[in-house]
Amino acid sequence: MDKFMKIAVDEAREGIRAGHGGPFGCVIVRDGKVVGQGHNEVVKRKDPTCHGEVMAIRDACKKLGRYDLSGCELYTTAEPCPMCAGAIMWANIAKVYYGCNIADTDSIGFRDKQFYEAPEDISEELDREECLKVFAEYAALKNKKNY
């Protein structure tokens, strides 16, 4: 077994044995060294965003003191859901290795598969003009500071 995937599996086991959430563990590696790790803590924190990948990204960002994880690789026990895939892309993680696929996740009762299908449109534009003012303020500040 790959040494980094073993750490992800161990994270998953730690989480499920503690009752923190599903069997999802993750480790983030840079230059051959672990820089972040985590497991699913949805139940523990009562927060649906606390997936293993998100927890590992938060840990790596904190340890590295930055939000850009360029040059990092991510190892996770299951194929990332769309939320986690988005977080991985926002973090600029270069490569993802996963153990179980979406069908495997579905087989143990998780509903990831439905999020890959076209969702019901629950969004509606509201107060765009006021929000554009906030965007303009940000753009002006960004030009003065290094965001």
Side-chain angles (χ1 to χ4, degrees), residues 1 23 32 48 60 64 70 81-82 92 112-113 131 145:
M1 171 178 250
L64 295 174
S70 293
C81 72
N92 296 312
D112 295 30
K113 188 176 179 182
C131 294
K145 298 179 182 178

Side-chain angles (χ1 to χ4, degrees), residues 41 45 57 115 145:
E41 295 188 31
R45 295 180 185 259
I57 288 169
F115 296 104
K145 298 179 182 178

Side-chain angles (χ1 to χ4, degrees), residues 1-9 27 29 73 75 97:
M1 171 178 250
D2 180 89
K3 68 180 181 178
F4 297 122
M5 186 60 82
K6 181 180 181 334
I7 297 169
V9 168
V27 63
V29 176
E73 296 179 331
Y75 295 75
Y97 299 96

Side-chain angles (χ1 to χ4, degrees), residues 13-142:
R13 284 198 172 107
E14 178 184 328
I16 63 171
R17 289 174 181 166
H20 293 172
F24 309 107
C26 183
V27 63
I28 297 175
V29 176
R30 183 164 190 215
D31 298 326
K33 295 180 183 164
V34 173
V35 295
Q37 60 192 79
H39 58 262
N40 184 291
E41 295 188 31
V42 168
V43 174
K44 176 185 176 185
R45 295 180 185 259
K46 297 172 183 52
D47 180 344
T49 67
C50 291
H51 290 196
E53 295 91 339
V54 171
M55 300 307 289
I57 288 169
R58 290 174 181 166
D59 186 46
C61 289
K62 184 177 179 182
K63 286 179 179 169
L64 295 174
R66 58 191 212 175
Y67 59 84
D68 184 341
L69 299 179
S70 293
C72 292
E73 296 179 331
L74 184 145
Y75 295 75
T76 183
T77 55
E79 187 171 353
C81 72
M83 178 185 72
C84 292
I88 290 164
M89 287 187 279
W90 279 111
N92 296 312
I93 292 172
K95 181 75 176 175
V96 174
Y97 299 96
Y98 63 88
C100 296
N101 61 39
I102 298 162
D104 299 325
T105 304
D106 186 58
S107 75
I108 61 168
F110 287 86
R111 57 191 177 119
D112 295 30
K113 188 176 179 182
Q114 82 180 45
F115 296 104
Y116 290 90
E117 298 164 2
E120 178 184 337
D121 188 4
I122 60 170
S123 300
E124 181 179 337
E125 189 176 286
L126 179 66
D127 294 326
R128 181 172 179 258
E129 291 305 316
E130 193 60 32
C131 294
L132 282 171
K133 291 176 187 174
V134 176
F135 276 34
E137 182 179 338
Y138 171 79
L141 287 172
K142 186 177 177 189

